[in-house]
Amino acid sequence: MKDDICGIVLAAGAGTRMKSKLSKVLHRLAGRPLLHYPVLAAVEAGARDVIVVASPVNRRDVEGCLGELELPPGVSVTIAVQEQARGTGDAARAALGELKRGWALILNGDIPLIRADDLLPLLDACTERACKLALLSCQLDDPSGYGRILRDTAGKVREIREQKDLQDQQQRDVREVNAGVYLVESELLRRTLGNLRNDNAQSEFYVTDIVADAAATERVVAATGEPAVLQGINDRQQLANLEAVLFERIASRHRLAGVTVEAGARIDDAVSIGRDTTIRANVSLRGRTVVGEGCVVDQGSVLDAAHLGRDVNVKPYCVIVDSRVGDGAQIGPFAHLRPGSELQDDVHVGNFVETKKTRMARGAKANHLAYLGDTDVGEASNIGAGTIVCNYDGFSKERTVIGKGAFIGSDSQLIAPVRVGDGAYVGTGTTLTQDAPDGSLVLGRPQLVVKEGYATRLRQRLKAKADAKKRHH
Ligand code: UD1
Ligand code: CA
């Protein structure tokens, strides 16, 4: 494999058919911006440097998007700016300033299905067959819209001709099309890009014209790849179609690594999942979520930047965002762990429980209907049904600290800042406005009144009153 490859990813096009404020290459598929896919493919194929050609409009966003990439050590990605969208050849020219000696691997920025494996035939062609320009082609039943590979009678590649520049039916019938991926020796690229002209149907500088130029003096190889790799994204329908392909690919990758993934689960590309875990239908695992071994994430749950230990059971319809869950914990159904929740091993959080910036130590439980915000719950403490931590007074947020082995009775309110000591017991229905010392019982209930026989007498009186009213009418 060549070790002096520089990737050039063309991403300065306007992408008008997306009908979006967001530049096309920043739209996400399976959790990653479109642009990440060709960049990662180039890096995995061996590129040490990648130049992304951006426009003055999307430059900032492209920068941010590339900052999200986790790159292997020694790999650098830089941005070159194409001042005006004057065609793919003009875009490639914008990268020349950063291009070193060696080889340039040029990729369209809108092809998310491309992988390093698809690029290997180009590398092989340029090493073994000693050519200086190789490109990827595909055979399509319907080639319309793509550039056609035109060969001479001996079958040698002569040029690429764009759809709008085709001259006759014979050319239109050519089903071998250009995928938009080229491997070119750097000096040859400089020379041929320098010769580009825009006297064509679109008055653009086409990168594809380097082929005819090079073919005049050099052998050019077109390696035929899978048709899937060239599928580009021009509108949101194509984006949805290709995202479905990516989700299926990702599911299959996890299945082969020992994870049970039911049909209909949507797992983002950067997610990691341990063996013997089951991901049920309609689950979304987003961002950099990590799921340990032996877990179940049941139907309809959404996890984003969540970190689950081993043997965690996430029951149906939970939402877990930017939170950590320890080994053996049980969550849901219908639980909501908001950012900054840290649930240690064997914690139980049941239905209609919401946590935010809350730590629950080992074995703590909140099984039904509770809100725990800015709270620290000690080991093995039990939070009763309907407990609400009142952490916000409309101006600032305050913390609640509950010690180890404490018991909060159902329907209690804890008005922060407040502390419940180790082993303390807060009686059912208490509104806690001051600290409960270790081992104390705190009760804040109005006096209970019991009046024997009163209900019967009350009913008689009310009935008599209603009857009198009816007679009157
Ligand atoms: C291109 C090829 C075509 C090929 C097809 C495969 C050319 C002239 N044609 O056509 O042969 O079959 O890809 O999908 O290259 N871009 C810029 N600056 C520009 C114009 C485009 O950076 O001025 C970028 C776009 O952001 C995009 C890529 O280049 O990522 C391809 O441009 P696009 O306009 O989509 O080319 P196609 O018409 O699809
Ligand atoms: Ca395209």
Side-chain angles (χ1 to χ4, degrees):
M1 197 174 271
K2 298 186 181 295
D3 56 6
D4 50 356
I5 298 172
C6 177
I8 298 178
V9 178
L10 310 180
T16 42
R17 281 172 285 177
M18 295 301 283
K19 303 200 171 143
S20 176
K21 279 188 218 156
L22 192 65
S23 150
K24 176 167 82 177
V25 291
L26 298 169
H27 279 262
R28 283 173 190 267
L29 297 84
R32 285 188 186 284
L34 172 49
L35 181 58
H36 279 194
Y37 293 97
V39 171
L40 285 173
V43 169
E44 276 159 33
R48 314 306 294 155
D49 297 291
V50 178
I51 304 162
V52 173
V53 181
S55 70
V57 179
N58 70 12
R59 182 213 168 112
R60 287 250 152 273
D61 290 341
V62 164
E63 218 161 20
C65 143
L66 293 171
E68 272 179 48
L69 260 177
E70 62 289 21
L71 292 169
V75 171
S76 80
V77 179
T78 50
I79 295 178
V81 176
Q82 181 191 21
E83 291 301 334
Q84 279 178 41
R86 297 190 300 172
T88 49
D90 182 63
R93 266 185 203 157
L96 290 179
E98 305 278 334
L99 184 64
K100 299 190 187 119
R101 288 162 64 103
W103 293 80
L105 175 61
I106 306 173
L107 299 123
N108 282 356
D110 60 355
I111 42 174
L113 299 186
I114 190 100
R115 287 184 286 194
D117 282 354
D118 303 310
L119 302 172
L120 297 184
L122 300 189
L123 301 181
D124 288 347
C126 288
T127 7
E128 286 166 24
R129 293 197 253 170
C131 75
K132 290 186 179 170
L133 169 53
L135 57 104
L136 201 59
S137 72
C138 306
Q139 291 284 347
L140 294 187
D141 291 337
D142 176 12
S144 51
Y146 292 98
R148 308 294 206 281
I149 311 289
L150 303 184
R151 294 174 183 263
D152 65 17
T153 43
K156 281 191 189 151
V157 176
R158 208 178 61 215
E159 65 170 297
I160 298 175
R161 179 125 357 138
E162 290 306 295
Q163 169 83 30
K164 289 180 179 152
D165 297 295
L166 295 173
Q167 283 162 331
D168 52 38
Q169 195 54 41
Q170 197 189 345
Q171 290 181 351
R172 276 187 279 275
D173 287 343
V174 172
R175 286 167 39 196
E176 186 183 15
V177 304
N178 170 32
V181 179
Y182 324 82
L183 182 63
V184 202
E185 191 274 322
S186 295
E187 293 315 307
L188 178 63
L189 180 66
R190 274 181 207 283
R191 179 164 68 73
T192 51
L193 284 180
N195 294 338
L196 290 185
R197 293 160 40 160
N198 65 349
D199 50 352
N200 51 49
Q202 304 184 80
S203 301
E204 284 188 358
F205 295 95
Y206 296 157
V207 74
T208 45
D209 283 349
I210 66 171
V211 171
D213 191 347
T217 52
E218 309 271 345
R219 225 166 70 77
V220 172
V221 172
T224 311
E226 286 290 316
V229 307
L230 99 171
Q231 290 190 61
I233 290 182
N234 296 309
D235 58 38
R236 296 189 202 222
Q237 182 58 53
Q238 289 168 336
L239 183 130
N241 296 347
L242 298 197
E243 188 179 44
V245 175
L246 283 172
F247 277 137
E248 196 40 51
R249 242 189 213 178
I250 295 164
S252 161
R253 182 170 84 214
H254 289 293
R255 287 177 186 132
L256 296 177
V259 180
T260 297
V261 181
E262 289 187 357
R266 293 161 71 97
I267 303 171
D268 280 358
D269 194 45
V271 169
S272 106
I273 310 175
R275 281 189 183 195
D276 290 320
T277 281
T278 297
I279 309 296
R280 294 210 190 282
N282 301 327
V283 164
S284 278
L285 301 181
R286 299 180 183 162
R288 282 179 209 238
T289 288
V290 175
V291 179
E293 291 185 9
C295 296
V296 175
V297 182
D298 213 326
Q299 181 137 339
S301 290
V302 177
L303 276 59
D304 193 346
H307 199 293
L308 308 190
R310 295 161 160 260
D311 303 314
V312 175
N313 187 0
V314 178
K315 296 171 192 175
Y317 302 103
C318 292
V319 177
I320 305 179
V321 180
D322 204 0
S323 292
R324 300 180 76 87
V325 178
D327 299 349
Q330 304 220 21
I331 314 294
F334 303 105
H336 187 185
L337 309 187
R338 290 170 51 206
S341 298
E342 192 199 326
L343 277 44
Q344 295 181 349
D345 297 353
D346 303 316
V347 161
H348 290 193
V349 162
N351 30 209
F352 309 110
V353 172
E354 172 185 345
T355 63
K356 187 220 71 174
K357 280 194 187 151
T358 284
R359 188 184 72 103
M360 293 180 73
R362 176 190 285 273
K365 294 190 174 81
N367 275 327
H368 334 263
L369 301 156
Y371 173 59
L372 301 169
D374 305 301
T375 301
D376 205 321
V377 180
E379 226 174 277
S381 287
N382 189 84
I383 310 295
T387 296
I388 295 171
V389 162
C390 310
N391 58 328
Y392 185 52
D393 55 14
F395 297 94
S396 53
K397 307 239 162 85
E398 302 289 351
R399 286 201 75 82
T400 297
V401 178
I402 298 168
K404 293 182 201 161
F407 186 96
I408 312 296
S410 298
D411 194 28
S412 292
Q413 302 92 48
L414 312 181
I415 309 216
V418 74
R419 186 177 183 285
V420 176
D422 292 346
Y425 200 110
V426 175
T428 296
T430 298
T431 300
L432 191 70
T433 50
Q434 66 184 68
D435 291 354
D438 291 354
S440 62
L441 167 69
V442 192
L443 258 183
R445 255 178 240 163
Q447 188 62 49
L448 193 67
V449 180
V450 179
K451 296 185 178 179
E452 291 279 0
Y454 192 98
T456 315
R457 293 201 297 280
L458 180 66
R459 275 196 202 92
Q460 282 165 355
R461 208 166 69 217
L462 294 175
K463 184 170 186 299
K465 202 168 149 192
D467 289 349
K469 216 171 172 184
K470 254 187 240 159
R471 275 199 301 278
H472 197 77
H473 279 293

